[in-house]
């Protein structure tokens, strides 16, 4: 199954790594993973899941090489979020799978590939190997490496590795935003897109609209494109509950006016 749920900042999701027995698998990495939506979907047979939790040892996995091959034959340009249900740069993923994926992207220059990881140190190492093997000094323009950030600690730890990846477009997915990130201006020179959103789903942790507003203001001051995805299911404003009809707080019409911002770099 290529597309699982609609994600506002991409056109389609391509889940190229799956468990051989059905569904997917990933390993929870940090605080942002606590209420992982992919883990929940994977336990739902309606979506073809296998009910194995995202912990412990990985099941036998397979790479969808046919899906990768088809990228080069697609005519209509699209933004592809590659593997929404797992981390393709997880330590359990073979390096040659990652390199085969990058090769498929290389021969599909009309498509944009958004690759998100919580392990940018592995992404950096693997991409450096792939570039070296192909005699390249930077990634093709259509490959966007990104990292997930949920708090100040992950900002400081992960941004440094992402910044070293030679790409025209690097991005952060600041979701779920779990605390005020504070001053991020020193880091914004290294990214070309910031996506931000509160947590969704049952037992969502609170996301204060003031935190989102701080990120948006700093991005605008630094002229970094920013995309407000959602306020979250447990949005707060002024210490009070900010109620929305959309259960994820993802309807842009319900955003405060100054947060109705959904930008992309280079008019992608």
């Amino acid at each position: 199954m290529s597309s699982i749920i609609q994600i506002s900042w991409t056109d389609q999701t391509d889940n190229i790594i799956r468990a051989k027995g059905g569904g997917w698998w990933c390993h929870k990495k940090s605080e942002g993973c606590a209420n992982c939506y992919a883990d929940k979907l994977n336990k739902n047979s309606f979506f073809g899941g296998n009910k194995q939790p995202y912990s412990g040892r990985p099941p036998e996995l397979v790479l969808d090489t046919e899906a990768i091959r088809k990228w080069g034959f697609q005519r209509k340009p699209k933004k592809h979020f590659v593997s929404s249900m797992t981390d393709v740069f997880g330590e359990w993923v073979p390096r040659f799978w990652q390199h085969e994926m990058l090769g498929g992207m290389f021969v599909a220059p009309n498509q944009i590939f958004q690759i998100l990881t919580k392990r940018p140190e592995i992404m950096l190492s693997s991409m450096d190997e792939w570039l070296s093997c192909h005699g390249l000094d930077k990634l093709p323009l259509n490959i966007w490496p990104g990292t997930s950030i949920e708090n100040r600690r992950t900002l400081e730890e992960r941004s440094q590795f992402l910044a070293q990846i030679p790409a025209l477009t690097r991005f952060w997915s600041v979701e779920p935003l779990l605390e005020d990130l504070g001053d991020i201006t020193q880091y914004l020179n290294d990214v070309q897109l910031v996506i931000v959103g509160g947590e969704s789903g049952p037992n969502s942790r609170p996301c204060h609209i003031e935190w989102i507003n701080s990120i948006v203001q700093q991005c605008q001051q630094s002229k970094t494109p920013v995309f407000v995805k959602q306020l979250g299911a447990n949005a707060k404003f002024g210490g009070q509950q900010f109620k929305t009809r959309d259960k994820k707080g993802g309807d842009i019409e319900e955003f405060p006016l100054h947060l109705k911002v959904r930008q992309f770099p280079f008019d992608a």
Side-chain angles (χ1 to χ4, degrees), residues 133-167:
C133 287
H134 290 80
L136 301 172
D137 58 2
K138 59 185 176 182
L139 290 171
L141 306 182
N142 64 323
I143 300 179
W144 295 10
T147 194
S148 299
I149 289 168
E150 59 257 33
N151 51 28
R152 184 73 187 188
R153 180 184 67 81
T154 52
L155 167 68
E156 294 174 354
E157 290 179 1
R158 295 173 184 167
S159 63
Q160 61 179 314
F161 295 107
L162 183 70
Q164 297 177 58
I165 296 175

Side-chain angles (χ1 to χ4, degrees), residues 187-248:
Y187 301 99
L188 289 176
N189 289 333
D190 298 319
V191 289
Q192 291 69 46
L193 172 63
V194 175
I195 300 165
V196 60
E199 190 167 53
S200 59
N203 304 313
S204 297
R205 289 162 286 184
C207 179
H208 292 254
I209 289 176
E210 291 88 344
W211 302 346
I212 298 177
N213 186 52
S214 174
I215 292 171
V216 169
Q217 286 187 342
Q218 291 181 75
C219 286
Q220 290 175 335
Q221 289 167 2
S222 69
K223 295 182 169 52
T224 303
V226 60
F227 188 107
V228 181
K229 179 189 174 188
Q230 61 192 38
L231 305 179
N234 189 8
K236 306 281 188 180
F237 183 66
Q240 303 297 316
Q241 199 71 29
F242 187 88
K243 295 183 179 180
T244 60
R245 291 182 299 276
D246 184 274
K247 64 182 182 180
K248 297 180 180 179

Side-chain angles (χ1 to χ4, degrees), residues 101-201:
M101 172 192 73
L102 292 169
M105 296 172 179
F106 182 76
V107 298
N110 292 328
Q111 308 300 314
I112 290 175
F113 298 96
Q114 300 158 304
I115 320 172
L116 187 60
T117 184
K118 286 183 171 66
R119 299 159 174 86
E121 68 281 4
I122 298 178
M123 175 188 269
L124 170 62
S125 175
S126 185
M127 286 184 165
D128 276 351
E129 289 177 3
W130 182 80
L131 289 169
S132 179
C133 287
H134 290 80
L136 301 172
D137 58 2
K138 59 185 176 182
L139 290 171
L141 306 182
N142 64 323
I143 300 179
W144 295 10
T147 194
S148 299
I149 289 168
E150 59 257 33
N151 51 28
R152 184 73 187 188
R153 180 184 67 81
T154 52
L155 167 68
E156 294 174 354
E157 290 179 1
R158 295 173 184 167
S159 63
Q160 61 179 314
F161 295 107
L162 183 70
Q164 297 177 58
I165 296 175
L168 181 66
T169 303
R170 295 180 292 263
F171 73 100
W172 298 340
S173 175
V174 187
E175 184 194 1
L177 177 59
L178 300 179
E179 67 180 27
D180 184 1
L181 295 186
D183 186 352
I184 62 173
T185 52
Q186 70 183 96
Y187 301 99
L188 289 176
N189 289 333
D190 298 319
V191 289
Q192 291 69 46
L193 172 63
V194 175
I195 300 165
V196 60
E199 190 167 53
S200 59

Side-chain angles (χ1 to χ4, degrees), residues 1-5 12-16 24 64 67 71 74 80-81 83-85:
M1 184 180 294
S2 175
S3 184
I4 305 299
I5 57 175
Q12 71 177 60
T13 55
D14 295 338
N15 284 291
I16 58 171
W24 306 269
D64 190 344
W71 287 339
Q74 293 182 344
H80 301 248
F81 176 21
S83 289
S84 63
M85 298 293 287

